[in-house]
Amino acid sequence: MKYTSNYKFLLEDLSKLKGVGKKTSEILKNKKINNLFDLLWRLPKSYIDRTENNNINELQIGRIHTITVLVKKYSFPRIRNLPNRVTCEDNTGTIDCVFFNSYEGYIKKILPLHEEVTISGKISIFNKKYQITNPRYVSKDKALIEKIHSKYNLTAGISQKIYNKIIDQILKNLPILKEWLHSEVLKKFDNESWNDSIKKLHNPKNIGNFKSNFYRRLAFDEILASHLISSEIRKKIKKVKKKEKKFSNESSRKVISRLSYKLTNEQNKSLTEINKDLTSKNKMFRLLQGDVGSGKTIVALISALNVIESGYQVAFMAPTEILCRQHYKLAKKIYSNKIKIEILTGKSDYYEKKRINKEINSKKINILFGTHSLFQKKIKFSNLGFIIIDEQHKFGVRQRKSLSDKGGINCDVLLMSATPIPRTLIMSVYGDMDISIIKEKPNHRKEILTYSKLEDKIDDVIRFIKKELNNKNQVFWVCPLIEESKKIDHQSAIKKFDYLSKIFPGKVALLHSKIDKLEKENILNNFLNNKFQILVSTTVIEVGIDFPNATTIVIENANKFGLSQLHQLRGRVGRGLKQSSCILIFKKNLSKNARKRIKILKNSNDGFLISKEDMKLRGFGDLLGFKQSGLKSFKLADPVHNEDLFILAENEIKRIEIEEKNLIKYKPLIKLYDQADVINDLI
Ligand code: ADP
Ligand code: MG
């Protein structure tokens, strides 16, 4: 291999490396390490210092030492279970190298008789004699051993030594890439080049050195690449010319005037932004983000009505059937009966599905509600103009892009999410979209009161619930998740169901992941219709469903949940006019961290603030939904520690969007970081 200035070298297959055979490369591939670049992103976790060379009389048992010795004598007993033994010495003493399951030939090769070798390994003692068992670090070349050796998180089957060798090999041949950072930006990192930075990153002396320039430069590259990709997708989608939608707002005005409440300012602002997109000649790709209960559904339904008025069809997708049905019913209630509204669910029978397909195709249906099923190929809209997707936080960038492609040129897209994102992360998570945010809650809303209770005070909780039931209110009871074991997850819920059923006979129902889909819907519907008053469940409570009559949510073992998740669960109540409460139950001995979290929840109902705090406490990867979303998490950049880099990258993107028409300079950066080729046809 030779020096190159071409980034493509880094995307080469692992088998290009010396010493990497089929077996090793397979092991690595199983760990999603497919090419040289992937390997570079496995950072050393710690290191072993083998630099200090000692005399034998200085050795300490149990420690790793490096020694340079003369090979004196072999002993090959040739009896099973007895190890081969090589006696070595220096001026100060003797030591045995002991080899189990080894070949004489191999030993003679690495430890040639009467020659001087350098060995490093853990010192033990046997029969009052020093020994090193199965030493891996043996060489006639001192310099190869007397180093600080990086320790990587290893994949079974590859030795630390081989891994280090592979990394060394890549670092030695690292291409010198042409600088892509703007000089002003580069200055902030003391002009550290990419090449030098990578080398420093793998230098064991620099482990944990995340404040240094080389580290920050690489972290910045990572953020910039992700932002660039998003920005390119956004530009690309926006470039699509569509036929603008024309509508008078008359029917939507009527619907708004008939609502039992007034839209909040931010609902109105979002509506204006959406309408502006609909009537423009550029395709809309917008996220409507608002905390739980902020009233996103009505905004979506009103904009849908505008699209229908302009002569197009609308597809409204939600993650679960019960949520679909709830939206469908609301549409039925508020739209005039001239609008043809349908719902397609798993329950629809063959003939129903056939009829709906036909009517969608002949444009008889104006708006169709449904789950993912709406995207089946056989469903052919005659002129789809708008796709609305509720609670979409589980989609990643790629899925979103393919979604926007799917609807065709004239189709606008609105996604809705209740997962608040800290300000610094918006560009990373949703940089490919325009965003409307609803921050305020409808103003009649009472804040949800949040209490914490220790487990042994459960009688207080029961008393509280009795009072609620007397006032004709309903209660959610969420049971602890038992980690690691999905199998027994529901057992605690069953126990609690039995317990509560004895106290409140005939008033309790149970929901957990083992209950099948149809039965689950039944239960939720019955709860909605107040056929029972207490719903005991694991965390399967659906996102988004509106249960205005539920006023209390009890969450057991609350420290198992992240802040954002607790906030989302809490958002199941507090949707009606009545005062609602959330009771967090804890086992004893709350940690300092747990106390901090309760305090944050008690003091705030603001999902954005809570998500920021959550991120500070638990890190980005654990924020609600992101783990499942497949959303790329950053390897080096950390949204909490590197907040400034995220802001810097956002500003840099703005500058690039204005000043740089040609992105060719960023090609290596994008190609290296966007291996999924999300934007392959752009540069
Ligand atoms: P989310 O944003 O979580 O999807 P929803 O759209 O389900 O919230 O709305 C929650 C509840 O708030 C619904 O019962 C809805 O009718 C009600 N709502 C929506 N907008 C307003 C408003 N401006 N004033 C009062 N209530 C509202
Ligand atoms: Mg909703």
Side-chain angles (χ1 to χ4, degrees), residues 261-264 267 291-298 442 444-445 544 546 575:
Y261 49 79
K262 244 182 87 194
L263 292 182
T264 63
Q267 281 174 317
D291 210 345
V292 272
S294 58
K296 296 182 290 289
T297 321
I298 190 69
H444 67 268
R445 276 291 156 73
D546 207 23
R575 295 176 157 242

PDB file of all heavy atoms in Angstrom, residues 261-264 267 291-298 442 444-445 544 546 575, ligand 1:
ATOM      1  N   TYR A 261     -63.093  25.318  21.154  1.00  0.00           N
ATOM      2  CA  TYR A 261     -62.003  26.105  21.744  1.00  0.00           C
ATOM      3  C   TYR A 261     -61.389  27.004  20.685  1.00  0.00           C
ATOM      4  O   TYR A 261     -61.659  26.860  19.489  1.00  0.00           O
ATOM      5  CB  TYR A 261     -60.938  25.180  22.318  1.00  0.00           C
ATOM      6  CG  TYR A 261     -60.477  24.083  21.376  1.00  0.00           C
ATOM      7  CD1 TYR A 261     -59.562  24.349  20.362  1.00  0.00           C
ATOM      8  CD2 TYR A 261     -60.978  22.781  21.499  1.00  0.00           C
ATOM      9  CE1 TYR A 261     -59.155  23.348  19.496  1.00  0.00           C
ATOM     10  CE2 TYR A 261     -60.576  21.776  20.632  1.00  0.00           C
ATOM     11  CZ  TYR A 261     -59.661  22.066  19.637  1.00  0.00           C
ATOM     12  OH  TYR A 261     -59.261  21.079  18.780  1.00  0.00           O
ATOM     13  N   LYS A 262     -60.575  27.935  21.145  1.00  0.00           N
ATOM     14  CA  LYS A 262     -59.853  28.805  20.214  1.00  0.00           C
ATOM     15  C   LYS A 262     -58.460  28.233  19.972  1.00  0.00           C
ATOM     16  O   LYS A 262     -57.809  27.750  20.904  1.00  0.00           O
ATOM     17  CB  LYS A 262     -59.712  30.199  20.847  1.00  0.00           C
ATOM     18  CG  LYS A 262     -60.449  31.279  20.061  1.00  0.00           C
ATOM     19  CD  LYS A 262     -60.235  32.637  20.705  1.00  0.00           C
ATOM     20  CE  LYS A 262     -58.963  33.273  20.156  1.00  0.00           C
ATOM     21  NZ  LYS A 262     -58.459  34.396  20.887  1.00  0.00           N
ATOM     22  N   LEU A 263     -58.000  28.313  18.753  1.00  0.00           N
ATOM     23  CA  LEU A 263     -56.636  27.826  18.496  1.00  0.00           C
ATOM     24  C   LEU A 263     -55.630  28.712  19.229  1.00  0.00           C
ATOM     25  O   LEU A 263     -55.830  29.919  19.362  1.00  0.00           O
ATOM     26  CB  LEU A 263     -56.340  27.857  16.996  1.00  0.00           C
ATOM     27  CG  LEU A 263     -57.129  26.877  16.125  1.00  0.00           C
ATOM     28  CD1 LEU A 263     -56.695  27.002  14.669  1.00  0.00           C
ATOM     29  CD2 LEU A 263     -56.953  25.445  16.602  1.00  0.00           C
ATOM     30  N   THR A 264     -54.571  28.099  19.692  1.00  0.00           N
ATOM     31  CA  THR A 264     -53.532  28.896  20.350  1.00  0.00           C
ATOM     32  C   THR A 264     -52.734  29.651  19.287  1.00  0.00           C
ATOM     33  O   THR A 264     -52.792  29.326  18.094  1.00  0.00           O
ATOM     34  CB  THR A 264     -52.552  27.995  21.126  1.00  0.00           C
ATOM     35  OG1 THR A 264     -51.890  27.133  20.187  1.00  0.00           O
ATOM     36  CG2 THR A 264     -53.271  27.147  22.158  1.00  0.00           C
ATOM     37  N   GLN A 267     -50.499  27.351  17.364  1.00  0.00           N
ATOM     38  CA  GLN A 267     -51.244  26.516  16.405  1.00  0.00           C
ATOM     39  C   GLN A 267     -51.518  27.344  15.147  1.00  0.00           C
ATOM     40  O   GLN A 267     -51.313  26.884  14.026  1.00  0.00           O
ATOM     41  CB  GLN A 267     -52.570  26.034  17.019  1.00  0.00           C
ATOM     42  CG  GLN A 267     -52.412  24.849  17.971  1.00  0.00           C
ATOM     43  CD  GLN A 267     -53.708  24.481  18.669  1.00  0.00           C
ATOM     44  OE1 GLN A 267     -54.460  25.343  19.128  1.00  0.00           O
ATOM     45  NE2 GLN A 267     -53.983  23.186  18.758  1.00  0.00           N
ATOM     46  N   ASP A 291     -45.050  19.501  22.044  1.00  0.00           N
ATOM     47  CA  ASP A 291     -45.101  18.660  23.220  1.00  0.00           C
ATOM     48  C   ASP A 291     -46.408  17.865  23.255  1.00  0.00           C
ATOM     49  O   ASP A 291     -47.374  18.227  22.589  1.00  0.00           O
ATOM     50  CB  ASP A 291     -45.025  19.579  24.442  1.00  0.00           C
ATOM     51  CG  ASP A 291     -44.364  18.878  25.613  1.00  0.00           C
ATOM     52  OD1 ASP A 291     -44.243  17.637  25.565  1.00  0.00           O
ATOM     53  OD2 ASP A 291     -43.986  19.581  26.555  1.00  0.00           O
ATOM     54  N   VAL A 292     -46.435  16.796  24.034  1.00  0.00           N
ATOM     55  CA  VAL A 292     -47.668  16.021  24.169  1.00  0.00           C
ATOM     56  C   VAL A 292     -48.809  16.932  24.593  1.00  0.00           C
ATOM     57  O   VAL A 292     -48.669  17.727  25.508  1.00  0.00           O
ATOM     58  CB  VAL A 292     -47.552  14.889  25.218  1.00  0.00           C
ATOM     59  CG1 VAL A 292     -47.037  13.637  24.598  1.00  0.00           C
ATOM     60  CG2 VAL A 292     -46.686  15.324  26.378  1.00  0.00           C
ATOM     61  N   GLY A 293     -49.927  16.797  23.901  1.00  0.00           N
ATOM     62  CA  GLY A 293     -51.107  17.561  24.279  1.00  0.00           C
ATOM     63  C   GLY A 293     -51.122  18.990  23.788  1.00  0.00           C
ATOM     64  O   GLY A 293     -51.969  19.790  24.167  1.00  0.00           O
ATOM     65  N   SER A 294     -50.185  19.339  22.905  1.00  0.00           N
ATOM     66  CA  SER A 294     -50.149  20.726  22.443  1.00  0.00           C
ATOM     67  C   SER A 294     -51.162  20.984  21.327  1.00  0.00           C
ATOM     68  O   SER A 294     -51.364  22.119  20.923  1.00  0.00           O
ATOM     69  CB  SER A 294     -48.736  21.087  21.975  1.00  0.00           C
ATOM     70  OG  SER A 294     -48.326  20.216  20.954  1.00  0.00           O
ATOM     71  N   GLY A 295     -51.808  19.947  20.838  1.00  0.00           N
ATOM     72  CA  GLY A 295     -52.865  20.141  19.849  1.00  0.00           C
ATOM     73  C   GLY A 295     -52.385  20.133  18.411  1.00  0.00           C
ATOM     74  O   GLY A 295     -52.756  20.986  17.601  1.00  0.00           O
ATOM     75  N   LYS A 296     -51.598  19.135  18.068  1.00  0.00           N
ATOM     76  CA  LYS A 296     -51.085  19.041  16.702  1.00  0.00           C
ATOM     77  C   LYS A 296     -52.139  18.505  15.738  1.00  0.00           C
ATOM     78  O   LYS A 296     -52.194  18.894  14.575  1.00  0.00           O
ATOM     79  CB  LYS A 296     -49.839  18.138  16.659  1.00  0.00           C
ATOM     80  CG  LYS A 296     -48.670  18.694  17.446  1.00  0.00           C
ATOM     81  CD  LYS A 296     -47.447  17.817  17.345  1.00  0.00           C
ATOM     82  CE  LYS A 296     -47.587  16.503  18.075  1.00  0.00           C
ATOM     83  NZ  LYS A 296     -47.581  16.627  19.536  1.00  0.00           N
ATOM     84  N   THR A 297     -52.969  17.576  16.253  1.00  0.00           N
ATOM     85  CA  THR A 297     -53.916  16.895  15.362  1.00  0.00           C
ATOM     86  C   THR A 297     -54.824  17.880  14.633  1.00  0.00           C
ATOM     87  O   THR A 297     -55.029  17.762  13.429  1.00  0.00           O
ATOM     88  CB  THR A 297     -54.789  15.922  16.170  1.00  0.00           C
ATOM     89  OG1 THR A 297     -53.985  15.292  17.153  1.00  0.00           O
ATOM     90  CG2 THR A 297     -55.409  14.888  15.274  1.00  0.00           C
ATOM     91  N   ILE A 298     -55.335  18.831  15.375  1.00  0.00           N
ATOM     92  CA  ILE A 298     -56.290  19.754  14.752  1.00  0.00           C
ATOM     93  C   ILE A 298     -55.601  20.589  13.668  1.00  0.00           C
ATOM     94  O   ILE A 298     -56.169  20.864  12.616  1.00  0.00           O
ATOM     95  CB  ILE A 298     -56.986  20.649  15.823  1.00  0.00           C
ATOM     96  CG1 ILE A 298     -58.138  21.424  15.215  1.00  0.00           C
ATOM     97  CG2 ILE A 298     -56.020  21.580  16.518  1.00  0.00           C
ATOM     98  CD1 ILE A 298     -59.305  20.571  14.823  1.00  0.00           C
ATOM     99  N   PRO A 442     -52.617  24.511  25.117  1.00  0.00           N
ATOM    100  CA  PRO A 442     -53.878  25.263  25.185  1.00  0.00           C
ATOM    101  C   PRO A 442     -54.027  25.857  26.586  1.00  0.00           C
ATOM    102  O   PRO A 442     -53.711  25.200  27.576  1.00  0.00           O
ATOM    103  CB  PRO A 442     -54.930  24.182  24.936  1.00  0.00           C
ATOM    104  CG  PRO A 442     -54.235  23.159  24.108  1.00  0.00           C
ATOM    105  CD  PRO A 442     -52.811  23.174  24.565  1.00  0.00           C
ATOM    106  N   HIS A 444     -56.260  26.693  28.748  1.00  0.00           N
ATOM    107  CA  HIS A 444     -57.118  26.293  29.870  1.00  0.00           C
ATOM    108  C   HIS A 444     -56.460  25.165  30.663  1.00  0.00           C
ATOM    109  O   HIS A 444     -56.877  24.827  31.749  1.00  0.00           O
ATOM    110  CB  HIS A 444     -58.460  25.795  29.360  1.00  0.00           C
ATOM    111  CG  HIS A 444     -58.331  24.515  28.587  1.00  0.00           C
ATOM    112  ND1 HIS A 444     -58.155  24.493  27.228  1.00  0.00           N
ATOM    113  CD2 HIS A 444     -58.292  23.223  28.992  1.00  0.00           C
ATOM    114  CE1 HIS A 444     -58.037  23.232  26.836  1.00  0.00           C
ATOM    115  NE2 HIS A 444     -58.113  22.458  27.880  1.00  0.00           N
ATOM    116  N   ARG A 445     -55.434  24.583  30.054  1.00  0.00           N
ATOM    117  CA  ARG A 445     -54.824  23.398  30.641  1.00  0.00           C
ATOM    118  C   ARG A 445     -54.273  23.647  32.023  1.00  0.00           C
ATOM    119  O   ARG A 445     -53.505  24.579  32.229  1.00  0.00           O
ATOM    120  CB  ARG A 445     -53.636  22.965  29.790  1.00  0.00           C
ATOM    121  CG  ARG A 445     -53.913  22.138  28.629  1.00  0.00           C
ATOM    122  CD  ARG A 445     -54.375  20.774  28.911  1.00  0.00           C
ATOM    123  NE  ARG A 445     -55.130  20.344  27.738  1.00  0.00           N
ATOM    124  CZ  ARG A 445     -54.542  20.040  26.595  1.00  0.00           C
ATOM    125  NH1 ARG A 445     -53.248  20.033  26.503  1.00  0.00           N
ATOM    126  NH2 ARG A 445     -55.274  19.713  25.568  1.00  0.00           N
ATOM    127  N   GLY A 544     -49.852   9.094  21.765  1.00  0.00           N
ATOM    128  CA  GLY A 544     -50.773   9.944  21.022  1.00  0.00           C
ATOM    129  C   GLY A 544     -52.247   9.824  21.325  1.00  0.00           C
ATOM    130  O   GLY A 544     -53.013  10.725  21.029  1.00  0.00           O
ATOM    131  N   ASP A 546     -55.744  10.124  22.876  1.00  0.00           N
ATOM    132  CA  ASP A 546     -56.308  11.149  23.721  1.00  0.00           C
ATOM    133  C   ASP A 546     -57.322  10.517  24.664  1.00  0.00           C
ATOM    134  O   ASP A 546     -58.378  10.053  24.228  1.00  0.00           O
ATOM    135  CB  ASP A 546     -57.003  12.162  22.792  1.00  0.00           C
ATOM    136  CG  ASP A 546     -57.057  13.529  23.407  1.00  0.00           C
ATOM    137  OD1 ASP A 546     -56.224  13.804  24.282  1.00  0.00           O
ATOM    138  OD2 ASP A 546     -57.937  14.306  23.018  1.00  0.00           O
ATOM    139  N   ARG A 575     -55.240  15.926  29.688  1.00  0.00           N
ATOM    140  CA  ARG A 575     -55.713  16.365  28.384  1.00  0.00           C
ATOM    141  C   ARG A 575     -57.104  16.959  28.442  1.00  0.00           C
ATOM    142  O   ARG A 575     -57.583  17.525  27.471  1.00  0.00           O
ATOM    143  CB  ARG A 575     -55.675  15.192  27.415  1.00  0.00           C
ATOM    144  CG  ARG A 575     -54.251  14.769  27.199  1.00  0.00           C
ATOM    145  CD  ARG A 575     -54.156  13.566  26.336  1.00  0.00           C
ATOM    146  NE  ARG A 575     -52.835  13.547  25.751  1.00  0.00           N
ATOM    147  CZ  ARG A 575     -52.593  13.616  24.455  1.00  0.00           C
ATOM    148  NH1 ARG A 575     -53.573  13.653  23.598  1.00  0.00           N
ATOM    149  NH2 ARG A 575     -51.360  13.617  24.012  1.00  0.00           N
TER     150      ARG A 575
HETATM  151  P1  ADP B   1     -50.930  16.206  20.487  1.00  0.00           P
HETATM  152  O1  ADP B   1     -50.218  17.460  20.092  1.00  0.00           O
HETATM  153  O2  ADP B   1     -50.260  15.539  21.635  1.00  0.00           O
HETATM  154  O3  ADP B   1     -51.173  15.286  19.339  1.00  0.00           O
HETATM  155  P2  ADP B   1     -53.758  16.423  20.453  1.00  0.00           P
HETATM  156  O4  ADP B   1     -53.844  16.936  19.088  1.00  0.00           O
HETATM  157  O5  ADP B   1     -54.127  15.014  20.685  1.00  0.00           O
HETATM  158  O6  ADP B   1     -52.332  16.692  21.062  1.00  0.00           O
HETATM  159  O7  ADP B   1     -54.628  17.383  21.376  1.00  0.00           O
HETATM  160  C1  ADP B   1     -54.820  17.128  22.748  1.00  0.00           C
HETATM  161  C2  ADP B   1     -56.152  17.629  23.210  1.00  0.00           C
HETATM  162  O8  ADP B   1     -56.178  19.056  23.195  1.00  0.00           O
HETATM  163  C3  ADP B   1     -57.313  17.173  22.358  1.00  0.00           C
HETATM  164  O9  ADP B   1     -58.347  16.747  23.219  1.00  0.00           O
HETATM  165  C4  ADP B   1     -57.704  18.424  21.598  1.00  0.00           C
HETATM  166  O10 ADP B   1     -59.077  18.435  21.303  1.00  0.00           O
HETATM  167  C5  ADP B   1     -57.356  19.523  22.554  1.00  0.00           C
HETATM  168  N1  ADP B   1     -57.015  20.815  21.947  1.00  0.00           N
HETATM  169  C6  ADP B   1     -56.303  21.017  20.821  1.00  0.00           C
HETATM  170  N2  ADP B   1     -56.151  22.338  20.583  1.00  0.00           N
HETATM  171  C7  ADP B   1     -56.750  22.993  21.595  1.00  0.00           C
HETATM  172  C8  ADP B   1     -56.922  24.382  21.931  1.00  0.00           C
HETATM  173  N3  ADP B   1     -56.425  25.347  21.172  1.00  0.00           N
HETATM  174  N4  ADP B   1     -57.602  24.672  23.048  1.00  0.00           N
HETATM  175  C9  ADP B   1     -58.095  23.697  23.808  1.00  0.00           C
HETATM  176  N5  ADP B   1     -57.973  22.374  23.566  1.00  0.00           N
HETATM  177  C10 ADP B   1     -57.301  22.017  22.471  1.00  0.00           C
END
